[in-house]
Amino acid sequence: MPTSADTADRLIAVAQEILAREGIEGLSLRQVAREAGVSHGAPLRHFPSFSALRAEVAGRGFQRLEEAIQKAAAQLPPGSHPIDRLQAAGRAYVAAAVEAPGLFALMFRPELLDVTQPRYAKHAPAAFAQVVQAVRAAQDAGFQVEVDTVTLAGVIWSLVHGIATLWSGGALGHVTEASLDAILDASFASLLQPDPLAPAS
């Protein structure tokens, strides 16, 4: 006999499936209940609100993003330069976003989420903290030391998130025939060189 936890997990899994198939537009409490095979009121017996269910889904997305970035860093050779680690984190971020664009769209819509939900409250800020940590390590190695760390992390985050969003939506395909890897290579080359404002020697 399914337990309450089993049903909650089923509701979360179904919400993820709908996001993958239809995006945020297709995600409704009624649709989640229907596809999970429960009554329309059942989800609210497991989550205090629809925004809490959405926040749980988004929190799991941020948790997976953290793990993807950690895995990318672990795959680098020991002693890799911090810039290489920063690039690896950026590539992992883009890969995760492109793999699940509907989920990523939800993750960055706080007005749709109960941001006090524990998993979201823990993992959403932790994902950006990873970027800040990677940027700080690169600055310690001499990269853009004059720029505020959090500001620089925000710029790099904006770059990779923008690339992922434009690629997932097909917009980049209308303006370039370059592959996603080539676009990332060019972006990192322009942003992550030691000092792009320094005159050539």
Side-chain angles (χ1 to χ4, degrees):
M1 179 127 184
T3 66
S4 177
D6 291 336
T7 302
D9 285 342
R10 175 63 180 153
L11 292 167
I12 292 163
V14 167
Q16 292 169 332
E17 292 166 6
I18 294 171
L19 282 170
R21 188 178 70 238
E22 302 178 34
I24 292 178
E25 296 77 10
L27 186 64
S28 70
L29 196 60
R30 182 176 292 270
Q31 186 68 13
V32 170
R34 181 183 299 116
E35 295 194 21
V38 299
S39 68
H40 293 158
L44 297 182
R45 291 198 289 271
H46 300 277
F47 297 93
S49 64
F50 188 28
S51 62
L53 171 57
R54 288 189 297 239
E56 174 65 23
V57 173
R60 292 185 183 211
F62 277 112
Q63 187 173 359
R64 289 210 305 265
L65 177 60
E66 283 182 76
E67 292 166 355
I69 291 174
Q70 290 166 0
K71 181 178 178 180
Q75 290 174 338
L76 291 173
S80 293
H81 194 279
I83 290 292
D84 294 330
R85 293 184 173 276
L86 189 53
Q87 290 191 48
R91 290 182 187 279
Y93 186 102
V94 171
V98 169
E99 181 181 358
L103 174 60
F104 254 69
L106 178 66
M107 287 161 59
F108 294 97
R109 291 288 300 276
E111 77 277 10
L112 299 178
L113 309 174
D114 175 0
V115 297
T116 66
Q117 194 277 335
R119 192 186 302 268
Y120 179 89
K122 176 181 178 181
H123 292 287
F128 182 63
Q130 285 179 302
V131 181
V132 174
Q133 183 179 20
V135 168
R136 184 173 292 117
Q139 288 183 305
D140 289 343
F143 170 67
Q144 297 284 346
V145 296
E146 74 285 358
V147 182
D148 173 73
T149 301
V150 174
T151 299
L152 185 54
V155 170
I156 294 171
W157 174 39
S158 298
L159 171 73
V160 295
H161 189 86
I163 290 172
T165 301
L166 291 171
W167 183 267
S168 295
L172 280 176
H174 291 299
V175 297
T176 178
E177 296 181 356
S179 68
L180 181 57
D181 279 342
I183 291 169
L184 289 171
D185 286 343
S187 300
F188 291 144
S190 64
L191 181 64
L192 300 182
Q193 55 185 301
D195 187 356
L197 300 181
S201 56

